[in-house]
Amino acid sequence: MKNQSLASSISCLLVITLFFFWTGCAKPPSPHHPDMLPPGEKEFFLAEKAYTDGRSEDALKAYKDFLKQYPDHKQTPSALFKLGTLHAAQGEGSKARYYFDRLTQGFPGNGLVPEALLAQCSSFYAENLPEKTLGCIQNIQDRIHTEEIRIRLAFLQADTLSELKRMPEALETLIMAFDTAPNNLQPLLVEKIFSQTRSMDTGDLEALFDRAGQPEPRAILIFASAVRLAETGRYRAAEDRLQFFLETFPRHPRKNMAKDLKKSLKDKEEIDPLAIGCLLPLSGRFEAFGIQALRGVEMAMAVYTNREDALPVRILIEDTRSDETATADAIRLLDKRKIIAAIGPLAASPESIQVAADHGLPLITLTQQEGITDIGPLIFRNFMTPSMQVRALVSHAMNRQNLFRFGILHPDDSYGQNFRDLFWDTVEDMGGRITGVEAYPPRSTDFSEPIRRLTGLHLPIPEDLSSSETEDKDKTSGPAIQFDALFIPDSAQRAGMILPQLAYNDLMGVRLLGTNLWHSPRLIEMAGHHARGAILPTGFFAESQNPHVQEFTSLFLETYGELPGYLEAVVFDSLMLFFHTLEQRPYSRSELAEFLQKTESYQGVTGPVGFAENRESLTPPFILEIRGSSFREINP
């Protein structure tokens, strides 16, 4: 498929071609009735009428009929040219070239020949055949003697070279064309030269300074090189280049643009716009997590740098040593190395994140701690938090499963209490009800008592109801379950002990809900069939049918011999998002943060990656269900 610039170029060439044709050829007379015209003129007039009325098929037939009857008529060259133009407009390049070739070979002295030669080459370009386009241009250059056609031929050659990624040659073609361009076409050529510089780096532009014989192309190259310097973060060099431009070309039309750009660079920090830092615990108690994250970094670099259009990004890795002081020192060191942004640290305190905020360093943090993005406007989070898990779980239970009454059975520790409160608040906010809550000691192995309390079986029967008839009823009625689903926020191992005891205590027929800790084969091994139907959130699912996930998982498995986990996947996504943002050429750290904020759902392996107004992740967790002896993704 051709890109937008290709389509624009083709449109431009067609417009110019038609302009010269309509203004350079005399129109046939317009009699009161075609029958008044002599033989041949009448048929040509009717073909022209169909053409000007936009009736392409009628025009094609009429011109061809005219050629059959009058192959040597004075209007034959015009008919051949119009047939070529009509076929080209319909995307029929070979047919167009057939008629253009008949014109150029059969009527070499006709005034339409230069237009037809150019149109032949343009038809190859329209068919996305750049090598044939260049060959055609080389074959006709000596036959083009009018400057207008030569300039348009240079435009076509430059566009074709650009398609072949031969940017310096494309720009040099335009610069050489300027030397012989008539005054009326020079402004158009100047704009084309400036547009061409947008796809080139500073070194390539500087290499062409001496090739620009005329002041105007040289001025454009100098100004464009200053813009490239600014876009790549070399602000002081850009200021010097702009100053040279203003001194050398004080009356240039772009002098005000140069002044404004020079002024805007005064307060910008000097940074390396292609350098990204990674803050990872590669030693200390969190070393295992650091190694996992490093794999995500390696995968992102391997995938991105394999692209033909990849930027020459650099990754600077610093070991935080699983220590807060070392983390703060690593942030300061990366700041001194003028990186544009960083990912990490893992599980860091607000104090270390504050160091990055104080130095104006954008971070995509990888921590669950709530409120971390409130530290500063450059702090982002791309990591699944407890509140994200609970929102996704409750939303699925209520909106997809039609469950509205919930019980909570949780460990009496900080993890269980935090998830209890989040779940309770979220259920009530969404219009549901909590109808039972019980806790158990964190290291408990017997859960019968809290389970019985949830169902009311632990309550004594009043004496006035303790007749033998009531006792018989109680034996058959079972527990009084007042909820549709039961939320158990605990580890896979602990849940693996709890689930069979639910059935033993007759607590059955309710949907079981867990946290991402349940996403472990250990749960299914321990609980067996009692885990079937359980629902849980997770940040990444390697068995997903999503093509992005499958490609990533396959490459990871081939590289490391095992399936990737959430940490590898979220680091991969965070770094790929940075690469995607750097392709927008941010001038500064603050501008990069603005681009990140505006990212509209970059498609990652953890899902669509984007940020809310408070810079919190908008990536929804995967929702899984245990079916049989495996986890299955539930499509959103």
Side-chain angles (χ1 to χ4, degrees):
M1 293 180 66
K2 304 176 186 65
N3 57 28
Q4 187 174 0
S5 64
L6 174 59
S8 300
S9 301
I10 293 172
S11 299
C12 180
L13 285 167
L14 288 175
V15 169
I16 294 174
T17 299
L18 293 176
F19 170 77
F20 277 95
F21 177 73
W22 283 334
T23 58
C25 303
K27 295 182 180 180
S30 302
H32 293 293
H33 197 280
D35 291 337
M36 297 172 59
L37 293 171
E41 293 292 341
K42 170 185 174 181
E43 289 77 6
F44 183 76
F45 173 83
L46 293 174
E48 290 279 270
K49 184 71 167 59
Y51 182 87
T52 56
D53 289 347
R55 294 180 284 115
S56 300
E57 294 301 326
D58 291 341
L60 282 169
K61 183 177 185 306
Y63 283 126
K64 290 176 182 179
D65 290 343
F66 168 78
L67 290 177
K68 287 179 181 179
Q69 296 181 58
Y70 308 99
D72 298 317
H73 195 275
K74 66 177 182 178
Q75 298 292 2
T76 296
S78 295
L80 290 170
F81 187 84
K82 290 291 181 64
L83 281 168
T85 302
L86 286 166
H87 281 297
Q90 293 180 349
E92 300 170 335
S94 60
K95 291 182 180 179
R97 289 188 290 274
Y98 167 77
Y99 288 105
F100 289 139
D101 190 59
R102 282 183 59 181
L103 168 58
T104 59
Q105 297 296 323
F107 305 88
N110 188 274
L112 288 172
V113 167
E115 293 283 352
L117 291 171
L118 176 60
Q120 280 183 311
C121 299
S122 298
S123 69
F124 284 120
Y125 184 84
E127 292 181 308
N128 199 23
L129 299 170
E131 295 291 354
K132 288 190 175 182
T133 306
L134 288 181
C136 178
I137 292 172
Q138 292 170 1
N139 290 334
I140 71 170
Q141 279 178 330
D142 293 339
R143 301 174 65 184
I144 304 296
H145 304 292
T146 58
E147 289 304 327
E148 291 84 359
I149 302 295
R150 291 184 69 86
I151 296 302
R152 290 156 56 202
L153 193 64
F155 275 37
L156 177 61
Q157 185 173 358
D159 288 340
T160 306
L161 289 167
S162 295
E163 287 294 311
L164 294 171
K165 308 300 182 185
R166 293 158 61 179
M167 306 304 181
E169 293 178 64
L171 183 55
E172 186 174 5
T173 297
L174 297 172
I175 292 172
M176 296 299 101
F178 189 90
D179 291 341
T180 58
N183 291 338
N184 65 315
L185 288 180
Q186 284 185 358
L188 183 63
L189 194 51
V190 165
E191 291 303 319
K192 182 68 173 176
I193 289 173
F194 185 69
S195 174
Q196 185 67 38
T197 66
R198 295 291 300 173
S199 58
M200 298 177 62
D201 61 36
T202 307
D204 288 336
L205 293 175
E206 291 173 347
L208 291 170
F209 281 179
D210 294 336
R211 301 300 302 273
Q214 298 291 331
E216 184 58 32
R218 182 174 172 81
I220 291 298
L221 291 179
I222 292 172
F223 178 76
S225 68
V227 174
R228 294 291 86 69
L229 287 168
E231 287 181 340
T232 54
R234 290 171 283 177
Y235 302 125
R236 303 295 80 79
E239 283 188 79
D240 293 342
R241 186 66 53 83
L242 289 168
Q243 184 62 35
F244 176 75
F245 171 83
L246 291 169
E247 291 174 355
T248 309
F249 308 100
R251 297 182 180 179
H252 195 275
R254 284 184 167 83
K255 66 179 180 181
N256 290 333
M257 292 175 61
K259 289 178 180 178
D260 291 343
L261 178 56
K262 186 171 181 288
K263 182 179 179 181
S264 71
L265 297 177
K266 288 290 185 184
D267 300 326
K268 289 188 179 294
E269 73 266 40
E270 194 80 36
I271 52 100
D272 183 343
L274 297 177
I276 297 174
C278 293
L279 295 154
L280 306 178
L282 299 177
S283 60
R285 58 189 178 131
F286 299 133
E287 178 182 351
F289 298 111
I291 297 301
Q292 286 179 300
L294 184 60
R295 288 180 172 184
V297 173
E298 293 169 344
M299 286 290 294
M301 283 296 289
V303 171
Y304 181 73
T305 57
N306 194 45
R307 286 172 35 181
E308 289 186 4
D309 59 344
L311 296 172
V313 294
R314 296 194 305 124
I315 300 297
L316 283 66
I317 298 174
E318 286 296 326
D319 181 9
T320 61
R321 305 202 300 272
S322 307
D323 177 78
E324 291 298 330
T325 301
T327 298
D329 290 341
I331 292 172
R332 294 186 186 97
L333 179 59
L334 287 175
D335 176 66
K336 288 180 180 179
R337 297 176 72 178
K338 303 301 181 183
I339 64 170
I340 193 168
I343 62 170
L346 276 64
S349 69
E351 288 74 22
S352 60
I353 302 298
Q354 186 66 54
V355 174
D358 292 342
H359 285 79
L361 178 63
L363 284 184
I364 292 184
T365 61
L366 305 170
T367 176
Q368 288 190 348
Q369 186 162 348
E370 299 288 350
I372 202 74
T373 63
D374 295 337
I375 291 174
L378 302 182
I379 308 302
F380 295 76
R381 186 215 307 273
N382 186 31
F383 207 77
M384 185 175 64
T385 63
S387 60
M388 291 170 63
Q389 291 190 54
V390 169
R391 282 196 304 271
L393 188 62
V394 174
S395 176
H396 176 83
M398 295 181 68
N399 298 326
R400 297 286 297 275
Q401 301 286 335
N402 294 319
L403 306 174
F404 298 97
R405 301 181 306 162
F406 299 88
I408 304 174
L409 181 62
H410 68 91
D412 198 12
D413 57 14
S414 59
Y415 181 87
Q417 292 164 4
N418 181 43
F419 269 98
R420 174 200 63 195
D421 295 343
L422 286 171
F423 190 86
W424 199 328
D425 291 343
T426 303
V427 165
E428 292 189 340
D429 288 344
M430 292 187 178
R433 287 194 301 145
I434 299 297
T435 57
V437 179
E438 289 296 336
Y440 53 83
R443 297 187 179 183
S444 178
T445 57
D446 183 358
F447 305 93
S448 296
E449 188 62 24
I451 292 172
R452 291 173 65 84
R453 286 200 299 268
L454 269 178
T455 60
L457 290 180
H458 72 293
L459 297 174
I461 301 175
E463 291 184 4
D464 58 343
L465 296 178
S466 59
S467 64
S468 59
E469 181 181 352
T470 304
E471 289 177 4
D472 291 340
K473 270 184 167 184
D474 184 60
K475 289 178 183 177
T476 58
S477 62
I481 301 173
Q482 301 296 321
F483 43 85
D484 308 309
L486 179 62
F487 178 52
I488 307 174
D490 209 336
S491 67
Q493 181 171 347
R494 193 72 57 186
M497 291 188 286
I498 294 174
L499 269 51
Q501 293 189 39
L502 294 176
Y504 181 81
N505 287 280
D506 294 329
L507 204 168
M508 296 181 291
V510 299
R511 181 73 71 172
L512 300 176
L513 310 176
T515 69
N516 66 312
L517 297 183
W518 284 27
H519 188 198
S520 167
R522 182 70 170 156
L523 172 64
I524 299 175
E525 291 171 5
M526 294 181 65
H529 69 276
H530 298 294
R532 292 175 185 171
I535 296 174
L536 58 138
T538 190
F540 175 71
F541 186 49
E543 292 84 12
S544 172
Q545 296 304 302
N546 182 293
H548 295 281
V549 176
Q550 290 182 333
E551 183 178 359
F552 171 74
T553 300
S554 176
L555 182 59
F556 191 97
L557 186 60
E558 179 183 341
T559 304
Y560 299 106
E562 61 186 38
L563 293 176
Y566 175 61
L567 192 53
E568 293 97 326
V570 77
V571 169
F572 175 85
D573 276 352
S574 299
L575 210 47
M576 292 297 288
L577 176 60
F578 265 145
F579 297 155
H580 171 74
T581 306
L582 291 184
E583 290 175 349
Q584 301 175 56
R585 301 289 188 175
Y587 281 89
S588 63
R589 289 172 170 178
S590 59
E591 190 170 38
L592 178 135
E594 291 177 14
F595 289 166
L596 277 178
Q597 184 78 67
K598 296 175 183 176
T599 299
E600 295 183 0
S601 295
Y602 174 79
Q603 187 58 51
V605 299
T606 59
V609 182
F611 299 100
E613 188 174 346
N614 61 356
R615 299 169 304 285
E616 290 283 3
S617 172
L618 291 174
T619 305
F622 291 79
I623 297 295
L624 307 182
E625 181 180 357
I626 298 176
R627 297 176 185 170
S629 59
S630 61
F631 295 95
R632 291 288 185 270
E633 180 183 1
I634 300 177
N635 293 324

